Amino acid sequence: RNKCASCYRQFNKMEHLVEHMKISYHSGHEPTCGVCKKHCRSFESLREHLIGPLPKQECKNIFSLRGCRFCMTILESPSARRIHQERCQFSSVNSGLATRMAALGLRDKSMIDNTSSRSPRVVALSCKMVGGGSDGSLDLCARVCITDESDNVVFHTYVKPSMPVTSYRYETTGIRPENLRDAMPLKQVQRKIQEFLCNGEPMWKIRPRAGKARILVGHGLDHDLDRLQLEYPSSMIRDIAKYPPLMKTSKLSNSLKYLTQAYLGYDVHYGIQDPYEDCVAMMRLYTRMRYQKHKIEAYPLAADAQNRSNQVAWRQSEVERMSPNEMLSISRSDYYCWCLDSLA
């Protein structure tokens, strides 16, 4: 009787269920099983529920016939699943050709056009690092790429580090000394990217909605922005590595290589790594998360002022008289779901 309407955990006492709902932040934005409607904290948890070592057997049987292994959606029939999965699986960019083009400078784009009427609202950024310091362990940004939602290169250049390079890490970066000899200085790269992201808005004035500043997508952006010596408002950052639905059940980050293979259906990071290929993969992952269909709520976040003032509604005596479904209806997410970007 004291069963959570979201994750289906059962409790001996109603007050224990109430306490669980207070700290779990269940909402309609969580990944949900298309068979039993159980809410999971992440897609990794949902994957374990459906096809893990100890899955729910009924859900596993239906998923094996009608489930898409990339987006975890349950389709109407096996034939509908086959058609959907072909569309859901992406093909990789031709990284071998792309790397050779970049090495020849054919894809270098050191100028950013801020005047175009088709200027992108969302962009992905990826950096490749060489090593500095006595042992080559200090990361120095030596190559940066920015793409838009259509996989077009917005900005791509080699970067001249501000200190001597002691390891070019050629096996993974493909960068040679001649690539950096006449490369753009770090300060100039920093200024160009900062101006492009802010898009004419002062940093202090940037807001996540109805502004001109751009949404920045990446994987491990804290590190990339630190190496570029860039600051950007967290409200405009969409970090694949920190997005709760794409994290491990242990709440640690998944690698971009794993996420691309599991949710897009192709492999990256074999041999020399191309930042353009990373940008494309990150944008595809972001787009897949952004266009999920969730219930529209006036105040979707637990941190919203309206919901903070409504915490009074979680009075023990009152909530204990609610049904589990009523508790779920007033519960809100503790993270910003990227589907809300579609409403901006």
Side-chain angles (χ1 to χ4, degrees):
R1 195 166 65 183
N2 303 319
K3 182 179 180 180
C4 176
S6 176
C7 66
Y8 298 163
R9 283 185 62 185
Q10 298 189 46
F11 300 87
N12 292 329
K13 297 181 179 180
M14 175 58 78
E15 56 260 36
H16 296 163
L17 172 59
V18 173
E19 190 60 31
H20 165 75
M21 292 301 294
K22 285 182 180 180
I23 63 176
S24 62
Y25 299 102
H26 288 309
S27 74
H29 295 280
E30 294 175 307
T32 305
C33 175
V35 182
C36 68
K37 308 305 178 185
K38 176 183 177 180
H39 291 217
C40 298
R41 188 63 179 171
S42 66
F43 281 99
E44 199 75 5
S45 177
L46 176 59
R47 192 179 293 273
E48 289 186 5
H49 169 76
L50 292 169
I51 55 176
L54 295 171
K56 185 175 180 182
Q57 199 59 45
E58 179 189 358
C59 297
K60 177 184 177 181
N61 294 340
I62 294 176
F63 183 81
S64 65
L65 293 173
R66 300 191 277 119
C68 174
R69 66 188 179 94
F70 302 118
C71 67
M72 315 304 288
T73 302
I74 304 294
L75 284 304
E76 296 177 355
S77 66
S79 59
R81 172 222 185 179
R82 186 176 63 254
I83 295 170
H84 169 88
Q85 198 160 268
E86 288 175 357
R87 295 174 179 172
C88 203
Q89 181 176 12
F90 286 89
S91 58
S92 66
V93 296
N94 191 334
S95 58
L97 176 60
T99 301
R100 288 196 295 273
M101 288 173 63
L104 294 170
L106 299 179
R107 208 183 56 224
D108 284 8
K109 188 173 183 180
S110 57
M111 299 296 293
I112 304 180
D113 183 8
N114 284 320
T115 61
S116 173
S117 59
R118 299 176 63 183
S119 186
R121 165 69 174 158
V122 182
V123 295
L125 179 145
S126 178
C127 298
K128 290 302 167 189
M129 309 291 174
V130 292
S134 58
D135 59 354
S137 62
L138 179 64
D139 286 344
L140 304 173
C141 180
R143 190 175 170 194
V144 62
C145 182
I146 299 177
T147 64
D148 62 15
E149 292 179 271
S150 301
D151 301 340
N152 298 313
V153 176
V154 176
F155 180 68
H156 175 267
T157 187
Y158 287 100
V159 183
K160 191 169 188 175
S162 55
M163 61 183 294
V165 177
T166 54
S167 172
Y168 286 88
R169 305 174 184 175
Y170 177 77
E171 294 78 11
T172 56
T173 66
I175 296 174
R176 299 177 184 273
E178 53 266 29
N179 297 130
L180 305 184
R181 192 168 296 133
D182 299 316
M184 188 180 296
L186 177 62
K187 289 292 184 183
Q188 188 177 348
V189 172
Q190 176 197 46
R191 187 179 69 255
K192 283 178 176 287
I193 295 176
Q194 187 91 64
E195 290 175 354
F196 173 70
L197 293 177
C198 294
N199 198 21
E201 281 194 297
M203 187 76 73
W204 61 270
K205 198 176 180 181
I206 290 176
R207 300 289 183 271
R209 298 188 185 185
K212 295 189 295 181
R214 295 178 168 88
I215 292 172
L216 180 62
V217 177
H219 184 276
L221 276 172
D222 284 350
H223 182 254
D224 285 352
L225 294 179
D226 177 66
R227 296 296 86 193
L228 286 168
Q229 300 174 20
L230 269 174
E231 292 185 2
Y232 202 55
S234 58
S235 61
M236 301 301 293
I237 289 176
R238 307 291 180 262
D239 196 333
I240 306 288
K242 292 184 174 182
Y243 189 51
L246 291 177
M247 296 178 77
K248 298 178 182 179
T249 53
S250 60
K251 297 185 180 180
L252 297 175
S253 300
N254 276 304
S255 66
L256 182 60
K257 179 176 181 176
Y258 170 80
L259 293 172
T260 304
Q261 196 278 330
Y263 299 107
L264 301 180
Y266 68 93
D267 295 315
V268 295
H269 291 181
Y270 279 96
I272 292 176
Q273 299 174 14
D274 185 2
Y276 171 74
E277 186 180 42
D278 289 356
C279 284
V280 170
M282 293 184 297
M283 187 62 80
R284 287 172 175 177
L285 286 164
Y286 167 76
T287 302
R288 178 151 291 174
M289 296 297 106
R290 176 177 177 172
Y291 291 108
Q292 288 188 317
K293 295 180 181 178
H294 296 148
K295 180 182 177 181
I296 299 175
E297 299 160 330
Y299 302 98
L301 298 175
D304 287 337
Q306 182 74 14
N307 291 324
R308 284 203 302 270
S309 63
N310 282 344
Q311 290 301 312
V312 180
W314 286 100
R315 291 194 183 101
Q316 197 82 7
S317 58
E318 294 179 13
V319 179
E320 286 181 9
R321 291 196 293 269
M322 292 182 178
S323 70
N325 283 324
E326 288 173 330
M327 290 186 205
L328 179 58
S329 70
I330 64 171
S331 182
R332 292 293 182 267
S333 174
D334 61 342
Y335 66 87
Y336 179 88
C337 181
W338 292 349
C339 75
L340 301 175
D341 286 344
S342 299
L343 306 177

